[in-house]
Amino acid sequence: MRTLTLMRHAKSSWEDPALGDHERPLNPRGRKAAKTMAQRLYAEHYTPDLVLVSSALRTQQTAAALQKAYDGGLVLQTEPLLYEAGSGTYADVIRRVDDDVQSLMIIGHNPTMEWMAEAMGGRAYHMPTASYIRFRVPCSWSEFRFERFETLAYDYPKSDK
């Protein structure tokens, strides 16, 4: 069974107006939420085979929090195409994943995360910062297309878990 987990980066800082969007770091609330969500994923015994991460600093820092919770045991791969990309580009990136990967996670950005969650979940999902949603994917990655999949998990920092 293949699974695809979409995770939105944690809350970023707008404190330094001289920084470009790509270079914005997580703010203190974002660092805390990234750690919380990483710990929840680990506690669920969810371990992705591959984590594709946008090249933006805030996604890289979100991935670093995840990597820390997993004691460095995750395979992280920076995918520059995920930054400022639409769902078509995300789908192209997914279709290039090796079919040996059973569990794929993508750490990316809105509005693409919400659009993908809705397309695959069959209803609108609010994807606040540091949230994730996981789907069962019944096809090979090379055959991936947006259709309705079974939703396996959905969580966000302010949920009552």
Side-chain angles (χ1 to χ4, degrees):
M1 169 187 74
R2 285 187 177 76
T3 63
L4 172 61
T5 301
L6 305 175
M7 183 173 194
R8 185 176 173 202
H9 64 78
K11 186 86 173 149
S12 61
S13 174
W14 293 89
E15 190 173 304
D16 185 349
L19 288 178
D21 182 68
H22 193 265
E23 286 72 38
R24 286 190 297 111
L26 297 181
N27 68 16
R29 186 175 116 199
R31 286 191 298 274
K32 181 179 177 185
K35 180 180 178 181
T36 296
M37 297 310 289
Q39 290 170 339
R40 286 186 194 173
L41 284 160
Y42 183 78
E44 289 177 10
H45 305 289
Y46 169 73
T47 304
D49 298 323
L50 175 63
V51 182
L52 297 177
V53 187
S54 161
S55 58
L57 180 57
R58 58 194 178 273
T59 55
Q60 293 291 313
Q61 289 177 328
T62 301
L66 204 64
Q67 187 69 291
K68 186 172 182 181
Y70 284 83
D71 292 324
L74 296 176
V75 177
L76 302 177
Q77 180 179 317
T78 298
E79 178 49 75
L81 292 174
L82 296 175
Y83 177 68
E84 291 191 332
S87 57
T89 300
Y90 275 60
D92 290 342
V93 167
I94 291 167
R95 284 191 281 270
R96 290 194 332 249
V97 171
D98 190 288
D99 278 330
D100 288 342
V101 171
Q102 294 298 304
S103 181
L104 174 64
M105 175 182 249
I106 295 177
I107 302 177
H109 308 270
N110 259 1
T112 305
M113 292 280 108
E114 283 186 346
W115 188 92
M116 291 174 64
E118 182 175 345
M120 292 186 290
R123 69 176 184 83
Y125 283 94
H126 177 55
M127 295 290 292
T129 52
S131 64
Y132 69 85
I133 188 165
R134 183 172 315 116
F135 299 98
R136 180 185 317 268
V137 178
C139 61
S140 68
W141 298 121
S142 61
E143 297 170 334
F144 178 84
R145 64 182 185 272
F146 291 110
E147 58 186 49
R148 182 135 185 219
F149 297 131
E150 178 185 357
T151 303
L152 300 174
Y154 170 63
D155 196 10
Y156 52 95
K158 291 186 179 180
S159 74
D160 46 356
K161 280 191 174 186

